[in-house]
Structure formats: structure tokens, C-alpha cells
Amino acid sequence: MDQTHEHKMSFEGAEGRPAPPTSLPLQGQGGVASQRKKLSAPRISLSLDQSEDDLFDTPDDLDINVDDLDTPDEADYTDHEIDWEEPQASQSESVKETVEPIPTYSAQEERQDSKLWRTVIIGEQEHRINMKSIEPYQKVISHGGYYGNGANAIIVFAACFLPDSDREDYHEIMENLFLYVISTLELMVAEDYMIVYLNGATPHRRTPGFNWLKRCYQMIDRRLRKNLKSFIIVHPSWFIRTILAITKPFISSKFSSKIKYVNSLAELKELIPMEYVHIPECIIRISSFLQGSENPQESM
């Protein structure tokens, strides 16, 4: 055995495994037949430490036997289906009982609904009026024709058409009625005008408060306040006279000079034309009673 072979054997003995060959004999060299060289695999040392490759290995003891698993029977699914279907059925029945068909909305009803609200602009501010709430009280203000030469309007305010103050929605109605009166006044008046305040046949519970009247006057456009030529109060009560007397020092002298008291409709007829002035029947009766006339028309 030559020195080279002895060196290989000693190296194998030292490392415990054969040393890799440095060269392979080629065919036809030295008269030796060609043959394949078998290389032995390196020895693998096993340890308890888990490497990254071991994370993807499945241990043998985790093999699952499908036959040993407990699976739910068909009856289990049937029971659950019954539990879920019964509430749905009862719920659908209750919905059918409570849901009502949507009523049809005709064109006439749509036009009527649009009339329930009116948008007005007072003092450069937009307001909305609930016309439904003040429907029974819209007669409180009316146009009484014209007087003198030109377009001098007569505005009639009948306090007997105001709501009772003991209503729960009194303040809401008066707020909407306030906006209605102001906006209607601006539409009726073109030039000079007068206001005829019909106070007769109005119980105290329907008499508007002084603050409400004051607010109406203050909210009127400056042009309308300037063009107001006369404020006639027909059948003034003691309450109205007292209020005006107390507030006289706080109101302008110009406005105070415009206030006139009229005790009967006959006296009113001497001041303005009554052809287009609508006088409520209750005021005609009270005027006839105060004058002691049996014929209501004679009091006019």
C-alpha cells in the first residue's frame, strides 16, 4: 500500500468518514476498467433543538384517524333547523299583521299639503307659517276696501277671531298668527292705509296681550309704520283704554295722535266707507245691544 492510500485511510480514521476523492480514474487509464464511485452520505446528528425546517414537519403521533372522530348526526341538524325556522316564521307573521300598505298620494292631496306651510320674508329674514294651525283664525285680518283718493287701504282686525288663551298650544298659534298678520299686511298695503281694530264681543281671554300688539307694530316695515294714517279702535274696553293710557309715555307722540276711539258702528260709518268692510255678526249684535236698537242694521 502506497503512501497516498495510507494517508487517505488515516484521514478517514481521524474524521470517522472517508475523505472525498481528489480525482476519478478516467476510462482507459492504466488499463483499469471504468467503474462508478459510490459516495456515502454524511452522517446526520440529531438533537432536541428544533430548526426552521422542522416547523413544517408533521410528527407521526399527530396522525388523525378520521373514523374515530365524532360527527353530528343528521338529527342534530334537523333540531337546529327547527329552532331557527320557528322564530322566523312567527316574526314574518307579526310583520304581516303590523305592516299596512302605503296609501296613495294624489296630486290634489299634494297640492293641499303644500298649502299647509307658507314661507314669508319679514325684515330680510325667512319664516315658515303653519297654515294648518291658524286655519280657524285667519279671519282675524281682512281687507276692507279703500278710502279717499288713490289706493289708501282699510285693514280690518277682528279680535273676536283670536284663540282662547287657555289653549295648550296658544303661544304656538299666536306666533304663527303673528307672522301671518305681518306678512298679509305687507301684501295688502300699497300706499297709505288705516287699521280698524274691532274690539267688541271679545272676551278678556281672547284679548291679545300688549306685548303681542307691540311686537306686531315693531315688526312692521318702517315704510308701513310711516304710511299708517289712523288706528281706529271700535268698542274699546276698559282694559284697552288702560293699557294705552299706561303705555302712552313710552310710545311716540306721532303714533299716539293716530289712535281714535269709536263707540259704535254708526260712528265708524261716518269716518270710513263701510261697503267692503266685513263686520262679524257678533260685533253687529253687541253694537245693537249697546245702542238699545232692536234692528241690528240700525246700529250700522
Side-chain angles (χ1 to χ4, degrees):
M1 184 178 297
D2 56 0
Q3 294 179 355
T4 303
H5 184 69
E6 291 177 356
H7 177 72
K8 290 182 180 181
M9 293 297 293
S10 62
F11 183 79
E12 181 181 0
E15 299 294 334
R17 59 178 180 270
T22 57
S23 62
L24 293 176
L26 298 178
Q27 184 177 2
Q29 292 181 356
V32 181
S34 63
Q35 60 180 358
R36 294 182 179 180
K37 182 68 175 181
K38 292 185 179 180
L39 301 178
S40 59
R43 298 174 60 185
I44 299 176
S45 61
L46 299 178
S47 64
L48 296 178
D49 297 332
Q50 187 177 13
S51 62
E52 293 181 358
D53 296 335
D54 296 335
L55 295 175
F56 301 96
D57 295 338
T58 303
D60 296 336
D61 56 356
L62 290 181
D63 293 339
I64 300 174
N65 188 358
V66 179
D67 297 334
D68 295 338
L69 294 178
D70 294 333
T71 56
D73 297 334
E74 185 178 356
D76 296 337
Y77 289 103
T78 306
D79 294 340
H80 286 289
E81 291 176 357
I82 295 175
D83 294 340
W84 283 100
E85 289 179 357
E86 288 182 353
Q88 291 179 356
S90 60
Q91 184 177 3
S92 60
E93 292 177 358
S94 62
V95 171
K96 290 180 181 179
E97 294 177 357
T98 56
V99 173
E100 297 180 358
I102 300 176
T104 56
Y105 200 52
S106 63
Q108 182 178 1
E109 291 175 342
E110 185 175 359
R111 289 193 299 267
Q112 184 67 24
D113 185 62
S114 62
K115 295 179 181 179
L116 298 180
W117 292 90
R118 176 188 295 180
T119 302
V120 297
I121 298 177
I122 301 175
E124 299 182 356
Q125 186 175 359
E126 184 177 286
H127 302 271
R128 296 192 68 194
I129 305 174
N130 186 352
M131 301 300 294
K132 184 66 175 179
S133 64
I134 65 172
E135 184 177 1
Y137 314 107
Q138 294 184 17
K139 294 181 180 179
V140 71
I141 187 171
S142 60
H143 199 294
Y146 300 92
Y147 71 97
N149 298 326
N152 301 327
I154 301 174
I155 307 301
V156 181
F157 188 93
C160 60
F161 291 121
L162 290 173
D164 292 343
S165 58
D166 56 355
R167 292 178 57 99
E168 294 182 357
D169 55 351
Y170 175 77
H171 295 288
E172 179 182 355
I173 293 176
M174 291 297 288
E175 179 67 21
N176 285 275
L177 197 58
F178 161 78
L179 298 174
Y180 174 76
V181 170
I182 298 300
S183 59
T184 304
L185 184 62
E186 294 181 351
L187 295 175
M188 290 181 176
V189 174
E191 297 182 7
D192 294 343
Y193 69 104
M194 68 167 56
I195 295 179
V196 178
Y197 185 89
L198 302 177
N199 187 66
T202 303
H204 182 68
R205 67 180 183 273
R206 293 187 182 180
T207 303
F210 173 75
N211 291 332
W212 191 85
L213 295 174
K214 179 182 178 181
R215 186 183 175 196
C216 285
Y217 180 75
Q218 292 176 342
M219 287 294 292
I220 294 175
D221 185 76
R222 186 177 181 274
R223 177 186 65 85
L224 295 179
R225 281 187 287 176
K226 182 180 179 180
N227 294 346
L228 177 62
K229 298 305 178 182
S230 182
F231 190 83
I232 302 176
I233 301 177
V234 184
H235 300 133
S237 62
W238 175 86
F239 177 77
I240 292 293
R241 289 178 180 269
T242 304
I243 289 295
L244 292 177
I246 294 175
T247 58
K248 189 174 183 179
F250 306 100
I251 60 179
S252 64
S253 58
K254 291 183 179 180
F255 180 75
S256 298
S257 62
K258 298 176 182 179
I259 299 176
K260 296 180 180 179
Y261 296 110
V262 174
N263 296 318
S264 65
L265 295 178
E267 187 179 350
L268 179 64
K269 188 177 181 179
E270 296 176 0
L271 299 176
I272 62 172
M274 300 288 291
E275 183 179 0
Y276 300 104
V277 176
H278 174 69
I279 304 296
E281 186 66 28
C282 58
I283 294 181
I284 295 177
R285 290 197 302 266
I286 195 66
S287 182
S288 175
F289 173 78
L290 293 175
Q291 290 186 349
S293 174
E294 295 181 358
N295 187 2
Q297 298 297 327
E298 294 181 0
S299 60
M300 298 182 61

